[in-house]
Amino acid sequence: MPWSASWPERRPVRVRTPWSTPAADSAVLHSWVVEERAQFWGMNGASRELVQEIYEDVDRRDTHHAYMVRLDGEPVALFQTYEPTEDRVSYCYEVREGDIGVHLMLAPAAGRPRPGFSRTLIGSLTRFAFRDPAVLRAVAEPDASNAKALALLDRLGFVRHSEITLPEIDLPEVYLPEKRAVLAFLDRPAALPPAVSHA
């Protein structure tokens, strides 16, 4: 069942369960990652087929998950979670029990401004990330030169820790170049943001 919340206009924001149809969603995601603004995702030159293969691989994993966030049925963001012990970030800090890694990409802005959307989205994703009581801290590692991502983390409440260098990963199924990143943490809130409604 989708995780949902609504903003002041009472329209639901849903975080769909992990990619059940990568073939269908890959067209939307491909249109996002090839934009110049998404250069930090490292897929600017990727074909739709490659994007689909990447997320089919994610879909097969128990340690990494991708979720499409939708408003009125339309995709508005991609939210990813992963176990830091199974990711290259584990080479850069001492992973604690209860840590969960997160990535967030917003859809291109379109149409009129949506009053209250950012606040509702942030609250919804915070509840979603910490829905498991065993999760005690969220970990993020955006590119150090990605000013927009860093500003978004600030809005989400993350605390910047240090700059790190994520090592190159060169495997048959995935290649990730070395990346200079900012390590940031968000401790589990004492009280999760309240849900306005559930659909």
Side-chain angles (χ1 to χ4, degrees), residues 25-26 68-69 78 90 104 145 161 167 176 180 182 188 198:
D25 290 330
S26 64
M68 186 66 81
V69 184
L78 175 72
S90 63
L104 175 64
S145 61
H161 182 268
L176 297 172
R180 191 67 182 165
V182 172
R188 183 182 186 88
H198 290 277

Side-chain angles (χ1 to χ4, degrees), residues 6 17 23 33 52 58 60 62 71 96 103 107 149 170 177 188-189:
S6 65
T17 51
V33 299
Q52 180 176 327
V58 171
R60 287 190 290 267
D62 296 327
L71 170 66
R96 293 182 188 172
H103 293 145
D170 190 2
R188 183 182 186 88

Side-chain angles (χ1 to χ4, degrees), residues 30-31 33-34 42-52 54:
H30 177 257
S31 71
V33 299
V34 296
M43 298 187 203
N44 275 170
S47 65
R48 175 182 170 177
E49 291 74 21
L50 177 57
V51 171
Q52 180 176 327
I54 289 171

Side-chain angles (χ1 to χ4, degrees), residues 3 6 12 17 26 34 52 66 68 72 79 84-85 100 114 120 127 145-146 150 154-155 159 180 194:
W3 189 267
S6 65
T17 51
S26 64
V34 296
Q52 180 176 327
M68 186 66 81
D72 292 340
F79 187 57
T85 54
I100 186 173
R114 298 164 168 171
T120 299
R127 290 197 313 279
S145 61
N146 190 344
L150 292 170
D154 291 340
R155 291 171 61 194
V159 175
R180 191 67 182 165

Side-chain angles (χ1 to χ4, degrees), residues 51-149:
V51 171
Q52 180 176 327
E53 288 177 11
I54 289 171
Y55 282 94
E56 285 176 339
D57 180 65
V58 171
D59 195 45
R60 287 190 290 267
R61 296 174 182 266
D62 296 327
T63 58
H64 292 63
H65 303 289
Y67 306 84
M68 186 66 81
V69 184
R70 297 180 182 273
L71 170 66
D72 292 340
E74 294 298 319
V76 295
L78 175 72
F79 187 57
Q80 295 182 202
T81 63
Y82 63 90
E83 294 181 16
T85 54
E86 300 299 322
D87 189 88
R88 61 179 177 168
V89 73
S90 63
Y91 293 104
C92 301
Y93 87 104
E94 186 174 348
V95 179
R96 293 182 188 172
E97 184 175 353
D99 280 357
I100 186 173
V102 297
H103 293 145
L104 175 64
M105 178 168 59
L106 300 179
R112 64 182 180 84
R114 298 164 168 171
F117 173 70
S118 294
R119 182 177 65 254
T120 299
L121 178 64
I122 289 171
S124 182
L125 293 180
T126 299
R127 290 197 313 279
F128 186 75
F130 290 102
R131 68 195 185 281
D132 182 349
V135 174
L136 304 178
R137 186 172 66 166
V139 181
E141 24 77 13
D143 193 291
S145 61
N146 190 344
K148 289 185 177 180

Side-chain angles (χ1 to χ4, degrees), residues 164-182:
I164 58 175
T165 300
L166 295 171
E168 178 186 48
I169 300 295
D170 190 2
L171 300 173
E173 66 273 17
V174 63
Y175 172 75
L176 297 172
E178 182 180 273
K179 184 178 86 168
R180 191 67 182 165
V182 172

